[in-house]
Amino acid sequence: MSSRRWRACPECDWVSALPVLRANEVACCPRCGRELAHRHSSAGQRVLAYGSGALAMLLLTLPFPFLAFTLAGNRQEIVLADAALAMFNNDWPLLALLIALAIIILPGIFLISVLYLYSSVIAQKRLDNRVFPGAMVLARNLSKMKPWLMTDVFLVGVLVSLAKLVGMAEIDYGWSFVAFCGYVVLLVKTVSLVDADWLWFALKGEPKPPLGIRTGATATEQQAVGCPCCGLINHDTQPTCMRCHTPLARPSPQRLQATWALLLTAVVLYVPANLYPMMETVSVGGTTYSTILGGVLQMIEMESYFVALVIFVASFIVPIAKILVLSYLCWLAAHPQAQATQRRMRWYRYTELVGRWSMIDVFVVAIMVALIQAGVILSIYPGTAAAAFAAVVIITMIAAMVFDPRLLWQSSSEQHSTLNMIETGQKP
Ligand SMILES: [Zn+2]
Ligand SMILES: [Zn+2]
């Protein structure tokens, strides 16, 4: 049993003892089915290969032309960074920062961190088991960065923009566009190969779990708590994880209030996001404004039904569905029932998975604004709704992260005891 790794499921708090995993084996929580660890064959070498490939592609993406647009003799050529710069030049600096973070800065930091960490693990034997300086800080932040790497969403945004421009003007692809496609594929592959469980074991070994810990019960019942970063089980008197030093938190109903507050903010911002225009198009015929649904109708008129469906689902259905599902889960978590089900967990996972794809429309606006600047012939400017809608997407993503799914599995008696402890000033 000593070689086993004890884990508390981050989604249902159930304690499991993982067997030694061989290559391509996956360990899942027996109660809710959440993946706890996934071993990849030759993970170290493959992550280094894909990661350095992705970083090289990112560097190649930056200096060369990305797309070019020609209309009535006017040619406008843009590089990738122009998608963010165009927003900055139109007085939306926060949107510019968001786009730059999502497609260039955070993926760049993620790739450099991954290459540094895996190199550290490989060099460890020659360094008497010491790790590179700063490796712990980087490893702690890897999983936090993952949901915000949106290069794949941006690529779909580019394809939607091109579908909107088809027949309107001549579009040329630059070398940077080709490199960007390679960058997206290699980055997605690198992210899928990074195994936090393996990485933390390689960096810091496996400290023993608290004495007397057993499987077949939750960590909370055993006065223990699972680390949200490295997965290690700690005694609940520890403020931070003994392996990775991440702050520890037992399931607390207080997290529900934060989720409700974020959901309410998203609902309020969803109104201007739909009422105000996403884009303003200036042409010889005058200025036209298009809202999210207006853009969908425009695509239906152009008989681009598939693109209309993509925008309708990503920009209209997904944010509403996400707010409704999270509200329902918050209500369920506050009114625990005997039969907490796997189906609810599936809804929770879907909301986490699909939320980031709503950013497609914001990226479409950024690309169109950067690309289509042909003066009075045809120019596009961002509308107020672009900022409001981006805020809705980000806030609902944070709400899904703040929501603690472990509460869905707690019985009402457990929740009341936690609440009583909070009220009487004890550490929950
Ligand atoms: Zn579980
Ligand atoms: Zn930890």
Side-chain angles (χ1 to χ4, degrees):
M1 291 292 275
S2 59
S3 59
R4 292 198 155 202
R5 298 173 196 197
W6 292 77
R7 295 287 174 266
C9 173
E11 289 184 359
C12 76
D13 207 31
W14 201 249
V15 174
S16 314
L18 307 190
V20 177
L21 296 177
R22 286 191 293 270
N24 299 321
E25 283 186 339
V26 181
C28 294
C29 167
R31 181 154 76 151
C32 75
R34 161 73 143 78
E35 187 179 295
L36 297 174
H38 188 161
R39 289 290 171 280
H40 300 278
S41 58
S42 319
Q45 287 94 324
R46 284 169 75 203
V47 165
L48 284 175
Y50 284 114
S52 40
L55 194 61
M57 286 292 178
L58 169 60
L59 294 175
L60 283 175
T61 300
L62 297 175
F64 302 108
F66 188 65
L67 291 171
F69 161 88
T70 315
L71 180 67
N74 280 294
R75 185 177 165 85
Q76 169 84 0
E77 204 174 71
I78 60 164
V79 293
L80 182 65
D82 284 332
L85 276 177
M87 286 297 186
F88 188 80
N89 294 335
N90 280 284
D91 299 327
W92 289 109
L94 283 180
L95 263 184
L97 180 69
L98 171 74
I99 293 165
L101 279 172
I103 61 170
I104 301 171
I105 300 171
L106 281 180
I109 296 174
F110 180 87
L111 288 169
I112 292 169
S113 307
V114 162
L115 293 178
Y116 187 76
L117 285 167
Y118 277 77
S119 305
S120 172
V121 169
I122 287 171
Q124 229 169 339
K125 280 193 189 113
R126 270 177 262 143
L127 295 171
D128 298 330
N129 265 349
R130 275 177 292 139
V131 294
F132 288 174
M136 302 285 290
V137 180
L138 294 179
R140 266 202 302 275
N141 287 303
L142 268 195
S143 57
K144 286 183 201 154
M145 275 189 262
K146 270 189 194 177
W148 306 104
L149 311 178
M150 297 198 189
T151 52
D152 43 356
V153 184
F154 185 82
L155 184 59
V156 175
V158 174
L159 299 178
V160 168
S161 309
L162 295 179
K164 281 188 168 209
L165 292 170
V166 116
M168 207 160 96
E170 197 188 314
I171 302 287
D172 296 312
Y173 304 93
W175 280 111
S176 163
F177 182 79
V178 180
F180 188 80
C181 294
Y183 161 50
V184 172
V185 172
L186 292 172
L187 177 65
V188 170
K189 187 71 189 167
T190 310
V191 170
S192 74
L193 284 174
V194 172
D195 175 358
D197 187 72
W198 180 86
L199 193 60
W200 277 108
F201 180 74
L203 287 172
K204 292 279 283 179
E206 181 77 15
K208 285 199 163 41
L211 269 180
I213 200 93
R214 60 188 167 84
T215 57
T218 63
T220 308
E221 284 170 311
Q222 306 180 61
Q223 286 75 49
V225 58
C227 170
C229 175
C230 74
L232 194 79
I233 297 182
N234 292 260
H235 201 277
D236 66 1
T237 49
Q238 299 256 129
T240 57
C241 172
M242 59 180 150
R243 179 160 68 170
C244 71
H245 309 305
T246 299
L248 299 169
R250 281 178 59 170
S252 161
Q254 285 176 323
R255 291 260 290 266
L256 288 180
Q257 291 177 24
T259 315
W260 277 122
L262 287 164
L263 287 176
L264 195 66
T265 314
V267 169
V268 170
L269 284 168
Y270 192 67
V271 178
N274 275 281
L275 290 183
Y276 285 95
M278 285 291 273
M279 280 193 290
E280 294 174 21
T281 310
V282 178
S283 64
V284 185
T287 305
T288 53
Y289 301 93
S290 58
T291 57
I292 291 174
L293 286 179
V296 174
L297 290 176
Q298 194 189 357
M299 293 319 292
I300 293 174
E301 277 168 22
M302 288 168 69
E303 296 183 0
S304 297
Y305 299 115
F306 182 70
V307 178
L309 184 71
V310 169
I311 300 180
F312 183 66
V313 171
S315 307
F316 194 74
I317 303 282
V318 167
I320 292 181
K322 198 169 171 181
I323 290 169
L324 288 177
V325 168
L326 275 176
S327 305
Y328 179 55
L329 290 177
C330 280
W331 182 85
L332 280 177
H335 301 84
Q337 290 148 19
Q339 71 288 19
T341 61
Q342 298 234 8
R343 199 178 44 193
R344 287 175 202 157
M345 292 308 296
R346 246 175 266 145
W347 290 350
Y348 170 71
R349 286 169 199 153
Y350 290 147
T351 57
E352 275 221 296
L353 203 68
V354 299
R356 56 203 280 282
W357 287 94
S358 298
M359 281 296 278
I360 289 177
D361 226 12
V362 176
F363 290 147
V364 169
V365 173
I367 295 155
M368 303 279 271
V369 169
L371 195 58
I372 304 176
Q373 292 299 330
V376 287
I377 303 170
L378 188 65
S379 290
I380 291 184
Y381 301 97
T384 314
F389 187 71
V392 170
V393 179
I394 301 239
I395 289 168
T396 48
M397 280 175 74
I398 297 173
M401 290 170 198
V402 168
F403 176 74
D404 190 343
R406 292 175 298 181
L407 292 170
L408 287 171
W409 299 84
Q410 280 196 336
S411 66
S412 48
S413 58
E414 269 177 309
Q415 282 208 3
H416 281 133
S417 72
T418 317
L419 266 179
N420 286 338
M421 285 167 92
I422 292 166
E423 278 162 14
T424 52
Q426 295 175 41
K427 189 179 178 295

